[in-house]
């Protein structure tokens, strides 16, 4: 039955994966997500699953392919530098239409970076992910409870589209401890999908036949294009807070969005009309959320832990470049709610420089 607990984000995410039916993990330790692997190293066997610590991240991704095609719900996790090594495997998982859930617990970088918190993997995850038009839904939790809740949803989306899904979190949420409610264990039938490997019946040769209508790459492109279009239309998720009358609207996700929620409360207490669009999906980017913005809004304020403001191009596209975009960017320091409010005041006064 569902139960309450106080857990670290990484460990809660791992437990949520097991309760969502995950029975295979392959991957490599890297700070700040190593607790996922550590937790599953003993917990996975208790629920009858398998865990393999691989020699690198690339191997871990390719192992997921076989386990998923055997019907298992599968998981691999990493941080920025390790996620970069995921890309070839992600391309295969997308190209072969295999459901899988991946997690990026972001840390500060480029290069190998450091172990401090950051949100510098937005571009890598939402607009990267491997060669050949790879694409997947990216969920962005803002609390330990959301990490738990999104895990079940991630598997459902992955199986709906036969596609990987990525949970994009960060070192703060991965390392913080919060009170949560854990769900019941899901009962998963590993034989329910017709594309998975099964025991042969008498007279069967085991060769899968069929494929896309028509021949070759044009048919494949049409099929994948239609799938990605359906994902983009159906899977946009967001939370709008005080947007309808706002003079400035913050756009943020993850730990930065929690700061922005506090900033909205502080600003409103001072009579400043500040709002927030919180991304729940980074891809598809929640373009529909921007339809609620007050037409007299003075501008949008991107708040994120990155150097250059990696969300900004998506924000501009969502508004068709019809609204000024400003930025409050920090690298390895969590944004400050008071600075968010001060920046909003400057935007309203016309003294803030656009990105």
């Amino acid at each position: 039955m569902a139960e309450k607990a106080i857990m670290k984000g990484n460990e809660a995410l791992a437990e949520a994966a097991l309760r969502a039916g995950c029975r295979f993990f392959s991957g490599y330790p890297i700070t700040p997500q190593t607790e996922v692997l550590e937790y599953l190293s003993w917990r996975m066997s208790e629920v009858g699953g398998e865990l393999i610590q691989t020699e690198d991240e690339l191997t871990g991704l390719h192992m997921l392919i076989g386990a998923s095609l055997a019907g298992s719900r599968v998981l691999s996790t990493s941080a920025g530098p390790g996620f970069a090594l995921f890309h070839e495997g992600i391309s295969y998982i997308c190209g072969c239409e295999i459901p899988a859930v991946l997690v990026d617990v972001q840390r500060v970088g480029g290069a190998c970076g450091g172990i401090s918190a950051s949100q510098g993997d937005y571009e890598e995850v939402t607009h990267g992910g491997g060669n050949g038009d790879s694409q997947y839904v990216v969920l962005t939790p803002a609390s330990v409870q959301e990490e738990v809740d999104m895990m079940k949803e991630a598997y459902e989306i992955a199986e709906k589209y036969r596609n990987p899904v990525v949970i994009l979190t960060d070192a703060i949420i991965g390392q913080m401890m919060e009170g949560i409610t854990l769900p019941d264990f899901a009962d998963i039938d590993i034989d329910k999908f017709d594309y998975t490997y099964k025991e042969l019946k008498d007279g069967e040769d085991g060769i899968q036949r069929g494929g896309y209508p028509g021949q070759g790459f044009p048919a494949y492109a049409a099929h994948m294009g239609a799938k990605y279009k359906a994902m983009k239309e159906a899977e946009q998720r967001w939370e709008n807070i005080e947007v309808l009358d706002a003079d400035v609207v913050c756009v943020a996700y993850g730990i930065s969005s929690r700061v922005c929620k506090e900033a909205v409360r502080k600003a409103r207490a001072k009579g400043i009309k500040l709002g927030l669009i919180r991304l729940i999906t980074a891809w598809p980017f929640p373009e529909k959320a921007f339809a609620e913005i007050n037409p007299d809004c003075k501008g949008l304020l991107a708040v994120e832990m990155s150097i250059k403001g990696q969300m900004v191009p998506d924000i501009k596209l969502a508004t068709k470049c019809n609204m000024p975009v400003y930025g409050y960017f920090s690298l390895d320091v969590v944004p400050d709610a008071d600075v968010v409010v001060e920046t909003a005041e400057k935007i309203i006064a016309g003294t803030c420089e656009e990105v």
Side-chain angles (χ1 to χ4, degrees):
M1 60 182 294
E3 58 189 273
K4 295 186 180 297
I6 298 175
M7 296 184 75
K8 179 181 285 192
N10 285 337
E11 295 178 349
L13 183 147
E15 179 66 25
L18 299 180
R19 291 175 180 244
C22 174
R23 293 299 178 268
F24 184 85
F25 177 98
S26 55
Y28 190 78
I30 179 174
T31 304
Q33 65 80 50
T34 301
E35 291 91 349
V36 177
L37 177 58
E38 290 177 339
Y39 186 89
L40 292 176
S41 68
W42 61 270
R43 184 73 170 113
M44 180 68 84
S45 62
E46 292 187 343
V47 299
E50 296 288 339
L51 177 141
I52 300 175
Q53 180 179 321
T54 56
E55 61 266 34
D56 55 33
E57 291 84 354
L58 183 58
T59 306
L61 261 286
H62 284 84
M63 283 188 174
L64 295 186
I65 294 173
S68 183
L69 287 175
S72 180
R73 285 187 165 180
V74 301
L75 175 69
S76 192
T77 62
S78 195
F83 197 90
L85 298 176
F86 275 8
H87 285 209
E88 181 183 325
I90 288 175
S91 181
Y92 271 91
I93 293 170
C94 288
C96 296
E97 298 196 83
I98 297 167
V101 173
L102 312 175
V103 178
D104 181 357
V105 184
Q106 298 174 91
R107 74 185 204 185
V108 68
C112 284
I115 61 174
S116 301
S118 185
Q119 294 179 312
D121 294 347
Y122 179 91
E123 286 183 336
E124 176 189 13
V125 173
T126 62
H127 299 300
N131 55 292
D133 294 307
S134 302
Q135 190 63 70
Y136 39 79
V137 171
V138 180
L139 300 171
T140 58
S143 67
V144 178
Q145 183 66 61
E146 284 196 343
E147 286 193 327
V148 170
D149 296 340
M150 285 181 180
M151 187 57 70
K152 177 177 181 290
E153 184 178 20
Y155 281 110
E156 291 171 349
I157 295 170
E159 290 169 355
K160 176 181 178 180
Y161 295 103
R162 287 183 57 178
N163 208 74
V165 172
V166 174
I167 297 176
L168 181 64
T169 182
D170 58 66
I172 299 294
I173 297 172
Q175 297 295 320
M176 69 167 50
M177 297 187 72
E178 291 188 315
I180 57 171
T181 300
L182 290 164
D184 296 334
F185 279 87
D187 186 15
I188 304 300
D189 178 8
I190 66 170
D191 295 320
K192 68 178 179 177
F193 297 114
D194 58 7
Y195 60 84
T196 57
Y197 295 114
K198 300 175 180 66
E199 184 177 350
L200 295 180
K201 299 177 182 178
D202 291 342
E204 290 183 334
D205 60 14
I207 300 174
Q208 293 195 16
R209 296 178 173 83
Y212 304 107
Q215 298 289 328
F217 287 121
Y220 174 77
H223 168 77
M224 296 298 281
K227 179 169 79 169
Y228 293 155
K229 182 178 180 180
M231 290 163 63
K232 183 175 182 180
E233 177 60 30
E235 304 303 335
Q236 294 184 37
R237 290 164 170 73
W238 68 89
E239 179 185 10
N240 278 3
I241 299 171
E242 302 280 8
V243 167
L244 294 177
D245 68 341
D247 290 325
V248 176
V249 176
C250 297
V251 184
Y253 71 95
I255 193 65
S256 296
S257 70
R258 291 174 67 141
V259 172
C260 288
K261 282 188 177 182
E262 181 185 0
V264 169
R265 291 193 294 270
K266 288 187 171 186
R268 292 280 171 167
K270 295 175 65 176
I272 302 166
K273 294 180 179 179
L274 182 63
L276 168 64
I277 294 176
R278 178 174 80 93
L279 312 188
I280 299 177
T281 54
W283 197 94
F285 193 79
E287 298 170 354
K288 298 175 184 177
F290 292 78
E292 296 184 14
I293 293 177
N294 169 21
D296 297 321
C297 178
K298 301 293 190 297
L300 304 174
L301 175 58
V303 181
E304 62 179 283
M305 296 174 67
S306 74
I307 296 172
K308 61 182 182 179
Q310 295 184 19
M311 284 190 301
V312 169
D314 285 338
I315 295 171
K316 290 186 175 183
L317 286 172
T319 61
K320 297 181 172 57
C321 298
N322 288 327
M323 190 169 291
V325 179
Y326 304 86
Y328 168 24
F329 310 131
S330 61
L331 182 56
D332 62 342
V333 178
V334 177
D336 185 289
D338 290 330
V339 175
V340 174
V341 176
E342 290 169 8
T343 306
E345 290 178 304
K346 292 178 182 177
I347 292 171
I348 293 169
T351 59
C352 192
E353 183 179 352
E354 292 183 42
V355 177

